[in-house]
Amino acid sequence: MPIKLENSVRFPHLLKADFLKNLAPDFQKSILNQCAVLTFDSTKPVLMQGGPSDGMYIVAHGVVSIHYLGPRGQRVFVTREETGSVFGDLEAIAGKPCAASCEATKNTTLLFCPTPLLFSHLKSVVFVQNLMAILHARLESDNVFKLVDHCSPVTQRLCSYLHFLSRNNSRINETQSYLAEVVRCSRQTINKELGKLRNLGIISLQSRTVIIEDRERLAEMSDHTDDDYLVARN
């Protein structure tokens, strides 16, 4: 019979995640080891806008896309959570409905901390401070990208979002339709703009993958040169 490894052993990289920052090692391991493991072999919803959040979700591997849905079926990209990120925590603690919908992409693994267990961990002041720091980063990021969305032409918007999407990996495995939704323009415009960036040597294209070849020039093209400013959502 195979030995079942504890989550802190299966996912040791999570011990360095922001939500566990400055906590005692035993406390870090306890949080991870008490979580349930959820795996997704295809893209599936995790939380639905307007519905309840039953706890905090931790991205162990993969990507979770977050979108806001309008009353007439409009769908707007909000952000995406990657390895080490958490979501659902604010709604679970506040007892409020989800402010947006969260969708796990194929081959994503999540750890799930149910609300009662989450509340037991809130006895730690440091843990609460970590969650508040993450919330503060989200607010800063919302301000940054609201400015980008409202004041920047499409080239700068695309470069800003490519910079954000590639913050952990130079390969962005997304379709042009997805990028069009994120940047809020047509797929034809995305195709044209990607071609310009490829000709400049800033990116290369392989099937449905955008590869960032020159991150520094990408930041310059977005009209921002401060990495911390552009990746506040990390």
Side-chain angles (χ1 to χ4, degrees):
M1 182 176 180
I3 299 175
K4 185 177 180 180
L5 297 177
E6 293 184 323
N7 291 335
S8 58
V9 177
R10 292 181 62 186
F11 312 109
H13 56 284
L14 292 180
L15 295 171
K16 298 181 180 179
D18 287 344
F19 75 99
L20 295 179
K21 188 176 180 180
N22 298 325
L23 292 168
D26 287 347
F27 190 81
Q28 292 177 326
K29 294 176 182 178
S30 175
I31 292 177
L32 297 180
N33 292 338
Q34 294 180 75
C35 291
V37 179
L38 308 175
T39 57
F40 297 83
D41 54 10
S42 62
T43 299
K44 293 180 181 178
V46 182
L47 295 174
M48 298 298 295
Q49 180 178 318
S53 173
D54 46 359
M56 178 177 73
Y57 293 82
I58 305 162
V59 184
H61 290 294
V63 172
V64 173
S65 291
I66 301 180
H67 294 82
Y68 180 77
L69 307 176
R72 297 181 181 84
Q74 309 98 316
R75 176 177 156 117
V76 178
F77 172 84
V78 176
T79 188
R80 61 189 235 165
E81 304 294 356
E82 300 185 354
T83 301
S85 298
V86 299
F87 63 95
D89 49 308
L90 179 62
E91 290 89 344
I93 294 170
K96 295 292 185 179
C98 293
S101 291
C102 307
E103 185 178 76
T105 59
K106 182 178 179 181
N107 298 325
T108 290
T109 300
L110 304 178
L111 300 188
F112 171 60
C113 177
T115 302
L117 183 58
L118 176 59
F119 270 108
S120 72
H121 297 320
L122 294 179
K123 296 175 183 178
S124 166
V125 173
V126 175
F127 183 60
V128 173
Q129 289 176 326
N130 288 344
L131 294 182
M132 292 304 99
I134 291 170
L135 174 59
H136 182 265
R138 290 172 183 164
L139 294 175
E140 284 190 322
S141 175
D142 287 344
N143 291 338
V144 168
F145 281 91
K146 185 172 289 185
L147 179 67
V148 170
D149 291 339
H150 285 272
C151 301
S152 299
V154 66
T155 298
Q156 291 179 349
R157 295 204 309 273
L158 175 60
C159 290
S160 294
Y161 278 104
L162 289 179
H163 195 277
F164 166 63
L165 295 173
S166 63
R167 65 198 188 280
N168 294 322
N169 190 332
S170 62
R171 300 177 67 90
I172 303 172
N173 299 310
E174 299 293 353
T175 64
Q176 291 189 14
S177 295
Y178 176 88
L179 293 176
E181 179 182 357
V182 170
V183 179
R184 302 177 192 180
C185 66
S186 69
R187 190 186 64 77
Q188 290 77 12
T189 298
I190 287 293
N191 182 270
K192 179 181 177 181
E193 293 296 327
L194 288 175
K196 292 180 181 178
L197 295 176
R198 179 186 56 197
N199 293 339
L200 291 170
I202 295 174
I203 67 169
S204 59
L205 302 173
Q206 291 182 4
S207 184
R208 54 173 285 169
T209 301
V210 178
I211 304 170
I212 307 303
E213 303 289 355
D214 193 332
R215 187 170 172 79
E216 182 176 347
R217 289 184 66 197
L218 182 65
E220 292 173 356
M221 288 288 290
S222 70
D223 201 29
H224 300 292
T225 57
D226 184 348
D227 259 27
D228 292 335
Y229 181 73
L230 275 176
V231 300
R233 294 186 184 192
N234 187 6

